[in-house]
Amino acid sequence: KGDQGMKKSNKKEKKSSKSKSSQTLVPPTPKKKEFSLENLSFATLAVHGDRIIPDGTDIAPPIHVSTTYKETEDNNYVYTRHSNPTRDRVEAVLSSLEGGHALTFSSGLAAILALMTYYRPKSVLMGMQYRGTKHLIEIYKSKCHPDLRLKGLSSIIEEGDMIFLESPSNPLCEVPDISEFVEKAKVVKAMVVVDSTFATPVSQRPLDYGANVVVHAATKFLGGHSDILAGVLVFKDYCDYLRVMNFRTSLGSILGSLETFLLLRSLRTLSLRIPRQAQSALEIAQWLSLQTEYVGTVWHPMLPSHPSYEIAKKQLKYGPACFSFEVKTPEQGKRLIGGLSLILSATSLGGYETLIEARSRFDGGQPGNEFRLSVGLEDPQDL
């Protein structure tokens, strides 16, 4: 009986030790770490900036084409003119990249029209500006706001004015000192808007310098593939962002589902494309500046000969991938366009392919020897 009792006791101890060892082998369930955008680099934000938008388990976000949504207790979507999941994703990425609150529009000019109509400034101060922007503001003044005054950047700034900068400007790449204009605007309660199409947030974030609104023709470098038409406004003030969002719903100038999806796809590689294109553009600009027998002025702000060189060095991380230059005579200009094979003659800019535009073709006031070059992703030696 004593031996049997000891055997039973040993069996119980073995079972108990086995039970304990099996318990220790099962790891505790780890607590899931909440996703946060804080302290992430620019490249990471471009890839994951939309992770805050709950939308299924797809790794590649789907295109949402539905115009209306079923009414449920947990559904925030009603009608696509106001919002849809794909648009929310791309605006989340843009917001994180620019450090503000982003809204997309059907084009860059649609975005500017919404800006003008909402703020209704007393005066607009502009310098060297994209001709489409100037033309739009002139139409807006003529048809909607005849009391609007159009002035130069050197004019006296008054309360209620809008200082509309391009940094760098199209096509001569002038770089205004954003901080300087912000300080002047603060004194009289004016606002500063910066069209940062040529720079992109990879190179420059105007809200960090105190600007109120950033504008992008997302058709260009943000889109990067010459296959979408899109515009962006990024607001520093959250209340303005919300009001303009509702304003956009009434205007109807929303970005289509396919264009939204393509823009989101393009933003993923923005941090890779822009430095490569910018470096190639600078190499070509430097090479052109040495061809003094044929080439006159080269307008690239990272060349010491450019008037904005000192400001550009301070304000831009990379020079623009689009710049202008002139050959000595219009006859040389004709021979230049006729002699190109790899570089295509076309308007627009910011795509993966290199394009050259004869300025006289699209702007009658320009001489026939001035060209704008948008540098793509090709090897600069081939170009």
Side-chain angles (χ1 to χ4, degrees), residues 191-222:
M191 68 178 298
V192 176
V193 175
V194 180
D195 186 329
S196 195
T197 297
F198 268 40
T200 80
V202 177
S203 184
Q204 166 187 272
R205 300 208 318 175
L207 298 185
D208 292 346
Y209 294 95
N212 301 94
V213 184
V214 181
V215 179
H216 286 285
T219 308
K220 310 303 193 290
F221 290 104
L222 295 185

Side-chain angles (χ1 to χ4, degrees), residues 126-259:
M126 295 182 289
M128 176 64 69
Q129 212 87 5
Y130 168 54
R131 64 184 179 278
T133 301
K134 282 191 170 181
H135 191 210
L136 171 68
I137 294 175
E138 287 166 0
I139 292 173
Y140 170 75
K141 169 181 168 63
S142 172
K143 302 297 182 183
C144 305
H145 190 357
D147 294 332
L148 177 68
R149 293 168 295 180
L150 304 180
K151 303 191 293 188
L153 290 177
S154 59
S155 303
I156 296 172
I157 305 167
E158 300 175 281
E159 183 176 353
D161 285 355
M162 176 188 287
I163 304 170
F164 200 134
L165 307 174
E166 279 188 10
S167 178
S169 68
N170 181 7
L172 300 184
C173 294
E174 294 177 352
V175 183
D177 191 324
I178 298 172
S179 298
E180 183 181 308
F181 281 102
V182 166
E183 289 304 313
K184 291 178 180 178
K186 280 180 180 178
V187 174
V188 294
K189 296 181 180 178
M191 68 178 298
V192 176
V193 175
V194 180
D195 186 329
S196 195
T197 297
F198 268 40
T200 80
V202 177
S203 184
Q204 166 187 272
R205 300 208 318 175
L207 298 185
D208 292 346
Y209 294 95
N212 301 94
V213 184
V214 181
V215 179
H216 286 285
T219 308
K220 310 303 193 290
F221 290 104
L222 295 185
H225 293 73
S226 300
D227 57 6
I228 63 169
L229 201 63
V232 177
L233 295 179
V234 189
F235 298 86
K236 190 172 190 176
D237 185 85
Y238 185 67
C239 291
D240 281 354
Y241 155 78
L242 291 177
R243 293 188 189 107
V244 177
M245 180 194 288
N246 291 323
F247 199 62
R248 178 186 63 179
T249 302
S250 299
L251 287 174
S253 51
I254 61 160
L255 191 59
S257 297
L258 176 60
E259 290 83 359

Side-chain angles (χ1 to χ4, degrees), residues 72-79 82-83:
T72 62
E73 288 184 4
D74 58 348
N75 178 34
N76 295 322
Y77 298 102
V78 179
Y79 192 58
H82 182 69
S83 63

